Amino acid sequence: CHLIHYLKLSHHLILLNYLIWSFDKLTDVSSEDIKIKDAVFDGVKVRVFEPLAKGDESLKRSVVYIHGGGWALASSRTSLYHNLCRIIAESLNAVVVAVEYRLVPEACFPEPYNDVLRATKHFLQPDVLAEYSVDPSRIAISGDSAGGNLAAAVCQQLSKEEDLPIRPKLQALIYPVLQAFDFNTPSYQQNRNMPVLSRYVMISYWIYYVNGNYDLAHELLVNNHTALNVGRALSFRERLNWTSLLPASFKKSYKPVVQSRGTAAIVEQLPGLLDVRAAPLLADNATLARLPRTYMLTCENDVLRDDGAMYAKRLEQAGVPVTLDHFHDCFHGCVIFTVWPVAFSSGVHTRSSYIKWLDENL
């Protein structure tokens, strides 16, 4: 059974990779108003989308954007993300810095996180911001899916660094993956076989990200790694208790899956599963209270819906202004699906809502 699932996953990843890189051969929607160049920020590759000067010398807003892809796929240099970043830059007249963090299997946790943190801190230096004519008080950090995970984790770290003179004004997270504690939240149960991102595929991405063995997939699926006898998991349980954090419309009639006895060795072998740098939803309230105004986009037909909703609720309880932008008829990944041959109205709709919030708050 596990072999069958492994083969299905391998086929899924090969297909996704093929589609993503096939789109790279498509012609991007061009713009004469955006200068695009590649650079290196503290050893990390980035692609900068910079609006051309329009006669005034006023400082511009900026968005640090981190692409999704399960920490294993995609790039801001492929058409789907290239177009998204270009449209963000054009719509907001903002400098967009897309971070090219290293991917699994070349780099597992915490290296992709470290890449994004280094590149972001480099960009936040006053002299670098001045080079790109960026207003230091109007910077957002953003990302989708695994990129939303990295954006949230880096934003938490930046909030803790007392000697950092410049911090993001906003964080904007698009259906982020935020925890590996509970793979039986209502959205994981409801959308377990949903195309684009099934529960098994998301579990597999987690295993590969923390450099684990796929043989552990079933144990994670039934939450054996966070059973009541797993001491390291106890302190985190209330931080993602979906029975109290989710609205009734999300909980429906689903029941929690909590094992009385499980396999404590899993989190000993794979400590990243319970590391807040990999799972930002596990952060304590004091950390959350320091975070900036937040936008959270979630989709009903997505295993990660409840990750975003729980994080939004916890941030709100910590006193952070939060906008939860939920789309009942949308699916995971839709924000980038706006280019032929995957041009969906749901992609245009969600992207427009996300950009509108940035325009009004950044």
Side-chain angles (χ1 to χ4, degrees):
C1 181
H2 290 172
L3 177 61
I4 291 173
H5 282 296
Y6 179 79
L7 292 174
K8 285 182 177 179
L9 173 72
S10 298
H11 180 263
H12 172 90
L13 293 178
I14 292 169
L15 178 60
L16 274 180
N17 212 23
Y18 172 77
L19 288 174
I20 288 169
W21 288 105
S22 292
F23 293 141
D24 195 37
K25 302 182 185 301
L26 301 177
T27 301
D28 292 321
V29 179
S30 61
S31 171
E32 297 179 353
D33 297 325
I34 304 295
K35 180 175 69 173
I36 300 168
K37 69 175 184 178
D38 295 327
V40 176
F41 285 1
D42 193 14
V44 180
K45 295 178 181 179
V46 300
R47 173 160 285 191
V48 183
F49 299 75
E50 188 177 3
L52 301 179
K54 297 181 179 179
D56 59 35
E57 298 301 322
S58 58
L59 296 178
K60 292 180 174 61
R61 300 179 286 188
S62 184
V63 178
V64 175
Y65 195 87
I66 303 113
H67 70 80
W71 305 288
L73 302 170
S75 164
S76 63
R77 300 176 185 186
T78 55
S79 292
L80 296 177
Y81 281 109
H82 182 96
N83 284 331
L84 174 62
C85 292
R86 181 195 55 75
I87 288 170
I88 294 170
E90 192 173 58
S91 300
L92 301 175
N93 190 34
V95 176
V96 174
V97 175
V99 182
E100 289 290 288
Y101 58 93
R102 289 169 295 163
L103 302 175
V104 172
E106 176 194 349
C108 296
F109 174 79
E111 294 311 315
Y113 162 84
N114 288 334
D115 286 352
V116 176
L117 181 62
R118 288 204 313 275
T120 303
K121 289 177 70 173
H122 177 89
F123 181 62
L124 292 177
Q125 294 178 103
D127 58 332
V128 178
L129 296 178
E131 178 184 346
Y132 290 99
S133 299
V134 168
D135 185 339
S137 67
R138 304 178 76 188
I139 301 169
I141 184 166
S142 183
D144 65 292
S145 194
N149 165 281
L150 294 168
V154 165
C155 206
Q156 287 185 5
Q157 180 59 34
L158 294 176
S159 74
K160 297 176 182 178
E161 299 197 10
E162 297 180 358
D163 59 344
L164 197 67
I166 299 168
R167 304 175 193 277
K169 178 183 181 182
L170 308 171
Q171 66 172 342
L173 310 177
I174 302 171
Y175 35 71
V177 48
L178 298 170
Q179 57 91 21
F181 190 96
D182 185 357
F183 291 107
N184 290 275
T185 63
S187 63
Y188 264 115
Q189 295 186 54
Q190 172 184 301
N191 301 299
R192 62 186 180 276
N193 294 318
M194 189 62 63
V196 180
L197 187 65
S198 70
R199 177 165 59 172
Y200 250 113
V201 169
M202 190 63 247
I203 288 173
S204 301
Y205 279 141
W206 267 110
I207 290 172
Y208 296 146
Y209 183 44
V210 297
N211 201 22
N213 190 309
Y214 187 78
D215 290 344
L216 296 174
H218 181 71
E219 297 224 49
L220 298 184
L221 177 70
V222 297
N223 290 344
N224 274 351
H225 62 303
T226 53
L228 295 177
N229 70 315
V230 179
R232 291 191 59 190
L234 291 178
S235 62
F236 296 117
R237 190 166 298 281
E238 280 307 308
R239 297 181 188 177
L240 41 76
N241 178 8
W242 60 258
T243 63
S244 63
L245 291 171
L246 295 178
S249 60
F250 283 15
K251 289 186 288 188
K252 300 182 176 68
S253 59
Y254 293 105
K255 304 299 181 185
V257 175
V258 182
Q259 307 294 350
S260 57
R261 297 197 63 79
T263 310
I266 295 175
V267 293
E268 299 299 329
Q269 296 171 20
L270 306 176
L273 294 172
L274 298 183
D275 190 315
V276 294
R277 296 172 300 167
L281 186 55
L282 299 180
D284 58 33
N285 292 335
T287 296
L288 300 187
R290 290 191 290 263
L291 293 174
R293 180 181 296 272
T294 299
Y295 172 86
M296 182 73 67
L297 190 154
T298 56
C299 296
E300 182 65 22
N301 304 306
D302 181 6
V303 292
L304 299 178
R305 179 199 66 187
D306 296 344
D307 282 26
M310 287 190 287
Y311 198 49
K313 186 64 176 180
R314 288 199 62 211
L315 287 168
E316 182 183 85
Q317 291 174 343
V320 177
V322 178
T323 297
L324 178 59
D325 202 5
H326 182 64
F327 291 87
H328 294 278
D329 58 349
C330 294
F331 57 94
H332 188 83
C334 63
V335 166
I336 61 171
F337 294 145
T338 61
V339 181
W340 183 90
V342 285
F344 296 109
S345 59
S346 59
V348 175
H349 185 39
T350 49
R351 185 187 67 192
S352 296
S353 189
Y354 159 75
I355 290 176
K356 181 175 184 289
W357 185 89
L358 284 174
D359 192 32
E360 292 173 349
N361 292 276
L362 185 57

